[in-house]
Amino acid sequence: MSASRGYMLAVLTALSALNQLDRQLVNILIEPIRREFDLTDVQIGLLSGLAFAAIYGVLSIPAALYAVHHNRKNLLALSATVWGGMTVICGLAQSYGQLLAARLGVGIGEAGGMPPSHAMISERYASHERAAALATWAAGVNIGIFLAFFGGGLIGQYYGWRTAFFSAGILTVALAVILQLTVKEPERTGDSRGGTPGSSRSMLAAVLRTFRTDRVLVHVVVGATLASTVGYSFLTWLPSFLIRSHGLGIAEAGIYIAITGGALGAIGTWLGGFVTERLQRRDVRWALWLTAATLVIVVPFAIFAFLTRSTWLALTLFAVHAALGAVFIGPSLAILHNRVEAALRPVTSAVFLLVVNCVGLALGPLGVGALSQYAFSDQGADSLRYALVAAELLALWASAHYFMSGARLRAKMRVSA
């Protein structure tokens, strides 16, 4: 087994990518699934958002509590095997109900993905290195998006949506085996082993108390939740929007979103962490204010992209959204982990995950689907266009919280070890 922290980070980042591949694959395949099962936009919103997020967010808490006292690598390997296997089962679904149930299974498996990954990374990287390391892991999200939309679009168009699910699930199970056989469980530092309430209830209470009393974290969590709501809505519905409003094929839409949401998004995510690492050495507030600024900048580009009738202009403007929309991830995770002690980081990540997903992933795609189906139904084929414009305005609200979070920090405050 390798003891290299670089190798560990590479494998964890690859699993982060496959986590997103299995999660996002349904989005590029929405239209053929919708036609086969005759689904409404609300049913699609439930399938891509709420069904997955509800179980995913709730189970991440016990997964994180388990990771505090037990082997984190084993938990992650088992979780990846479960979500990969359930992705394969998605491809076997013969009805909407069966597909919905399989998506719940994917959520059960993925609940054990982020908390142990974050804990393992924070264990091996010091505070001044943590933002870049966590941003590298988070860039796996965009790599997974690239794989989901590029590979899923091509396979879905030429071999069918079921084959796309089979391929993604098998790949995940294979990497879970590699993790189990080649990555060494990080030794817990003295900070992790002691000085922290030992019971699950007391640890959860300590984390909730921190979130309730630390106004910096409150604003970061609210800002990240709102930004994630915009991001999940964008990723879920952009393929359908390009197909319905601009006449693109599944493969064309998939390749475009793979390049923008995957490649450009990964660069934006990594740069967010890289810049944060340098800004926080001088004044940590600037990392949060940079995040606030990028969220404001992205809004007009996104609105014009959704409203224009020009396909080439829309695609150009969406690229800006993809590059800047994920910058908030690295700074958010860094602030989150730097303001709690080491042993509480898995639980902190899980609570953060619960809030972000129960609102952002659960309600974002569903909310856009409901707006399209009901509020803007009189717009006909343009109903989805205006629903997505409404969702983008939440980024301004998110920006305000990141600004207030920075304002509550002391000038030139250094992050904790």
Side-chain angles (χ1 to χ4, degrees), residues 159-180:
Y159 299 99
W161 63 269
R162 297 179 187 278
T163 303
F165 279 115
F166 294 152
S167 302
I170 291 170
L171 187 60
T172 298
V173 173
L175 188 58
V177 173
I178 292 173
L179 169 71
Q180 183 65 33

Side-chain angles (χ1 to χ4, degrees), residues 120-132:
M120 292 169 71
I121 292 169
S122 288
E123 199 80 74
R124 297 295 303 273
Y125 289 85
S127 62
H128 65 279
E129 304 171 306
R130 199 168 290 143

